[in-house]
Amino acid sequence: MSEQHNIDNVMHEHRRFEPTEGFRQRAHIPSLEAYQSVYRQATEDWEGFWRKQAETELAWMQPFTSVFERDDHGVRWFDGGTTNVSYNCLDAIIAAGQGQRTAIIWEGEPGEIVRLTYNELLQQVCKFANVLRGLGVQPGDVVSIYMPMTPELAIAMLACARIGAVHSVIFAGFSAEAVADRNNDASAKVQLTADGAWRRGKLLPLKQTVDQALAKSSTVQHCVVLRRTGQEVPMTAGRDLWWHDLMSQADDHCPAPALPSEHPLFILYTSGSTGKPKGILHTTAGYNLWAKLTFRWVFDWRPDDIYWCTADCGWVTGHSYIVYGPLSNGATILMYEGAPNHPAEDRIWDIVERHRVTILYTAPTAIRAMISWGDQHVEKHDLSSLRLLGTVGEGINPEAWMWYHTKVGGERCPIVDTWWQTETGGIMLSPLPGAIATKPGSCTMPLPGVVPAIIDEAGEEVTEANQGGRLCIAKPWPGMLRGIWGDPQRHFTQYWEAVPGMYLTGDNARRDEDGYYWIMGRIDDVINVSGHRLSTIEVESALVSHPRVAEAAAVGRPDALKGQAICVFVSVKGGEPDEELRQALKLHVRKEIGALAVPDDIRFTPSLPKTRSGKIMRRLLRDIAEGKKEVKQDTSTLEDMAVLAKLHENDES
Ligand code: ATP
Ligand code: MG
């Protein structure tokens, strides 16, 4: 074993959950053999597999002439073909006789409910597409969207897609500065927003933030404002227009134009967990195909499902698994505007019960919060409609997985732990719920067409089981990113340079003796203790398995003797932490994973610094562990500056 090249695996998780017979019988891919057979087809006849999928899943106005091309300018999937993402999500479903099916069930935070059929959604999308055209938006122009989670947000995205405009959705919690940065980076021409949004019973002043942003966004010519909350907002004459005024005049006829396969569809900025966010570019046909197929494979979707993804459309999860993936399959999606704990900590379960949700897709950060709120909120609701659960965004600690499995899933619902990135466009590694037995904390196996490789520090492929290394993808896939907006050099150096011929994900992983993948955290976050390279998630999961720990983040800090020492930041539940708990946690880690991983420092904190998408920002904690007083890193995506200030304060005391 070459310690300096690989990452040590110290966590041992042996629980395993087979899909129930009932689930299997109704699943699209009902056995491990069936999965293996599709996987084999996709790798053995790679081109033929993608040709067939593209031909059957997408509507082509002009058929494509080649499956995949690569040259100095990048990659081209389905070259020569033309299609339209909005057509595939709406017109194609209606043409198949499903126009009366509910597309969106929307619930506002104050409780109002709106339902839109595919016919109604198409009508709204056509009208708004005409509104955008009326404002001079041409194919290739960038439209910046800073809106609350309302049906109009999805309508806006689909309207852009329809006319070939490129949307850049910015999560409606970002500051004016962040909006202006993104608008300038993308040269946005039109801004879409709302007067305000509801969040935890309060009004967020979206228009006010946009006004500040637009003062610094010189390329933006118009701002369309949706009336959501009814609060008073100033309107700048000539620039600002009301959504409802424009829509009342708009024609609802707007045939979808044919767009080339590689026509840009959207720009989306990454979460900023590891540094300054990157503006990732996705294009038309390949992305659409990947979102559509992966949605059906992973969620084993059926027409009678009520599917709810709790993400915001401001993240890639909202793009691929609220809008494009589900709608291009003809699914019924639930969209919720507000906070999960308003008016009480059971809002999520209340929604599941009332709408009879069958598939729930959420994030580990939300699950950890729900655990700390207490089981009584879950137990009071009838969750028997649920048949499948999913997670995305971070690794899920096995104990949080077990809670989700027992308390939410009633031990009957498979859990799909889906690993993917903004860059990958869609899910890459995940259980297929009727085919692959799950193990808590593992994203299990690659989807058909995904060829992962684990590469060590020397650039060699790791073949031995349970040896961690850099997770790479060895073959192109249709949903792959096409570039970083305006920065081709960073695109190359970040993803394609380190391991020739492969896509570098930036995460570490190991593959176990059964061929299951376990994500071990970010490459930059590895902790190097006396020549052993440890993964953050394993240390964190050991801590989270202690009943008093709500959340934990592990980082390395320089140590003269060991190279690095392990410093963990822990937030606890069930009372104030004390010295006794600190010692108990050290013992617990020793027992769970061994002496090597026992933290040198345990720092208690009421909360951890997170991105606005809810991910722990270990890079900021690294500075604090090191005792750095000044914050020199990019904090534009930090959710709450106060958390950082508090950690610095604790440092001083
Ligand atoms: P940035 O690239 O700006 O640092 P980010 O990587 O957090 O931000 P995203 O694209 O939103 O931005 O997140 C992708 C990352 O999230 C993955 O690289 C991985 O580290 C983590 N991740 C997502 N899903 C999982 C999962 N199921 N298990 C483990 N990690 C996951
Ligand atoms: Mg990333």
Side-chain angles (χ1 to χ4, degrees):
M1 187 173 83
S2 51
E3 257 126 23
Q4 67 276 37
H5 284 166
N6 296 339
I7 298 160
D8 293 331
N9 160 221
V10 290
M11 182 172 92
H12 303 285
E13 174 58 64
H14 296 296
R15 289 170 286 196
R16 189 187 160 100
F17 298 88
E18 296 287 341
T20 62
E21 208 36 52
F23 193 97
R24 235 187 238 293
Q25 273 168 9
R26 294 184 64 186
H28 292 300
I29 302 179
S31 66
L32 188 60
E33 295 67 39
Y35 155 73
Q36 284 164 341
S37 151
V38 188
Y39 191 86
R40 251 196 323 273
Q41 282 169 38
T43 31
E44 280 167 13
D45 177 19
W46 185 78
E47 227 180 282
F49 181 80
W50 288 122
R51 173 176 297 112
K52 181 162 164 265
Q53 298 297 338
E55 279 170 1
T56 46
E57 300 293 337
L58 301 181
W60 293 95
M61 288 138 190
Q62 172 94 39
F64 55 90
T65 48
S66 82
V67 172
F68 179 77
E69 308 274 344
R70 191 196 321 245
D71 62 23
D72 291 347
H73 302 290
V75 301
R76 290 193 309 282
W77 281 89
F78 312 120
D79 204 24
T82 57
T83 181
N84 184 297
V85 177
S86 154
Y87 183 95
N88 291 320
C89 290
L90 301 166
D91 311 64
I93 307 300
I94 294 166
Q98 304 297 318
Q100 293 299 344
R101 181 197 288 282
T102 303
I104 299 179
I105 305 170
W106 175 77
E107 182 161 315
E109 194 186 76
E112 60 273 63
I113 292 168
V114 172
R115 285 167 200 275
L116 288 174
T117 63
Y118 274 87
N119 284 331
E120 289 163 339
L121 185 59
L122 173 65
Q123 192 190 32
Q124 296 294 311
V125 168
C126 286
K127 284 174 91 168
F128 199 67
N130 284 326
V131 165
L132 290 173
R133 278 187 174 153
L135 296 175
V137 176
Q138 303 281 329
D141 283 347
V142 175
V143 175
S144 166
I145 306 183
Y146 184 76
M147 291 175 74
M149 277 292 284
T150 52
E152 287 80 2
L153 170 48
I155 290 165
M157 291 165 71
L158 289 159
C160 289
R162 193 161 192 89
I163 61 169
V166 183
H167 59 68
S168 164
V169 184
I170 304 168
F171 173 63
F174 275 121
S175 66
E177 207 63 43
V179 177
D181 275 356
R182 285 161 174 71
N183 284 350
N184 290 327
D185 188 54
S187 306
K189 191 167 180 179
V190 169
Q191 177 77 60
L192 311 179
T193 190
D195 50 359
W198 288 103
R199 191 77 191 171
R200 218 161 274 124
K202 295 208 177 70
L203 292 177
L204 296 184
L206 296 196
K207 176 64 165 56
Q208 201 178 313
T209 307
V210 160
D211 282 338
Q212 289 165 14
L214 293 190
K216 295 182 195 159
S217 315
S218 59
T219 57
V220 174
Q221 297 166 6
H222 290 290
C223 174
V224 180
V225 186
L226 175 76
R227 183 171 281 156
R228 163 63 191 125
T229 57
Q231 69 209 91
E232 279 283 321
V233 292
M235 298 289 279
T236 303
R239 187 194 71 185
D240 299 351
L241 302 150
W242 284 107
W243 177 290
H244 56 266
D245 286 343
L246 296 168
M247 286 293 264
S248 70
Q249 314 276 324
D251 186 359
D252 62 8
H253 183 68
C254 179
L259 297 168
S261 292
E262 286 296 340
H263 187 80
L265 178 66
F266 66 82
I267 308 167
L268 184 64
Y269 293 81
T270 55
S271 294
S273 309
T274 59
K276 187 175 183 309
K278 305 160 279 257
I280 302 298
L281 173 68
H282 283 288
T283 59
T284 296
Y287 169 82
N288 195 169
L289 179 62
W290 194 239
K292 182 175 183 186
L293 274 178
T294 53
F295 175 75
R296 210 167 58 227
W297 283 335
V298 173
F299 298 103
D300 189 47
W301 172 77
R302 289 198 305 255
D304 56 357
D305 276 315
I306 306 287
Y307 162 86
W308 183 19
C309 165
T310 67
D312 190 281
C313 285
W315 314 121
V316 73
T317 305
H319 284 56
S320 303
Y321 300 111
I322 294 179
V323 180
Y324 296 118
L327 295 180
S328 52
N329 280 289
T332 298
I333 60 172
L334 190 129
M335 233 176 139
Y336 169 59
E337 176 187 39
N341 54 352
H342 186 82
E345 279 76 7
D346 68 338
R347 182 65 182 266
I348 298 269
W349 316 120
D350 177 45
I351 293 176
V352 168
E353 178 173 2
R354 275 187 292 108
H355 294 282
R356 305 300 294 157
V357 171
T358 60
I359 304 174
L360 178 70
Y361 190 30
T362 192
T365 187
I367 296 170
R368 291 190 305 255
M370 291 164 196
I371 295 173
S372 68
W373 293 336
D375 294 355
Q376 68 276 20
H377 302 294
V378 187
E379 285 162 357
K380 92 172 175 233
H381 291 281
D382 170 12
L383 305 182
S384 60
S385 58
L386 289 171
R387 66 177 196 94
L388 179 66
L389 304 174
T391 70
V392 59
E394 290 183 291
I396 180 162
N397 311 112
E399 286 322 310
W401 194 104
M402 287 305 298
W403 182 89
Y404 200 30
H405 171 71
T406 45
K407 290 289 166 196
V408 180
E411 297 180 8
R412 102 195 144 261
C413 305
I415 296 178
V416 290
D417 173 354
T418 64
W419 177 89
W420 60 296
Q421 311 177 296
T422 308
E423 294 88 335
T424 68
I427 298 167
M428 302 291 277
L429 298 165
S430 166
L432 296 185
I436 299 174
T438 51
K439 301 184 186 186
S442 167
C443 56
T444 76
M445 309 241 182
L447 296 189
V450 175
V451 183
I454 296 174
I455 307 292
D456 71 14
E457 289 294 288
E460 300 294 327
E461 185 153 356
V462 177
T463 48
E464 210 181 314
N466 292 316
Q467 294 294 305
R470 293 174 292 175
L471 177 65
C472 294
I473 309 293
K475 259 195 171 310
W477 66 102
M480 65 199 283
L481 80 164
R482 301 302 199 267
I484 294 182
W485 191 259
D487 200 345
Q489 190 53 39
R490 190 174 177 201
H491 176 220
F492 176 71
T493 47
Q494 182 109 29
Y495 305 108
W496 302 101
E497 193 177 38
V499 184
M502 290 195 192
Y503 167 77
L504 179 76
T505 66
D507 288 345
N508 288 317
R510 68 180 162 98
R511 189 173 38 230
D512 73 12
E513 53 289 345
D514 299 326
Y516 279 53
Y517 286 80
W518 299 75
I519 303 296
M520 300 178 90
R522 315 296 181 123
I523 288 177
D524 306 339
D525 290 344
V526 170
I527 308 173
N528 208 323
V529 184
S530 314
H532 292 274
R533 303 178 70 231
L534 298 175
S535 94
T536 48
I537 183 107
E538 296 195 344
V539 179
E540 292 162 6
S541 290
L543 286 159
V544 172
S545 73
H546 189 279
R548 290 287 312 278
V549 175
E551 278 191 311
V555 298
R557 67 159 168 77
D559 181 88
L561 231 56
K562 300 193 280 187
Q564 280 191 319
I566 303 175
C567 175
V568 300
F569 293 81
V570 175
S571 64
V572 302
K573 50 191 177 191
E576 283 298 305
D578 54 15
E579 195 47 40
E580 201 182 320
L581 180 62
R582 183 174 277 120
Q583 293 314 321
L585 292 180
K586 288 191 177 183
L587 268 177
H588 182 73
V589 174
R590 179 184 296 268
K591 181 168 83 42
E592 290 290 307
I593 53 180
L596 184 66
V598 172
D600 298 83
D601 312 344
I602 296 185
R603 302 206 186 181
F604 293 115
T605 170
S607 33
L608 297 170
K610 292 187 182 169
T611 62
R612 284 174 202 270
S613 56
K615 301 174 190 222
I616 297 170
M617 290 173 91
R618 294 179 192 78
R619 63 181 166 95
L620 299 178
L621 291 172
R622 244 185 338 253
D623 281 1
I624 291 170
E626 241 183 88
K628 283 191 189 152
K629 297 277 174 265
E630 227 181 318
V631 186
K632 290 215 174 115
Q633 301 194 47
D634 183 287
T635 51
S636 63
T637 65
L638 176 63
E639 186 190 25
D640 186 358
M641 261 328 235
V643 173
L644 201 57
K646 183 104 186 102
L647 281 160
H648 277 289
E649 215 175 274
N650 289 350
D651 216 25
E652 250 122 68
S653 60

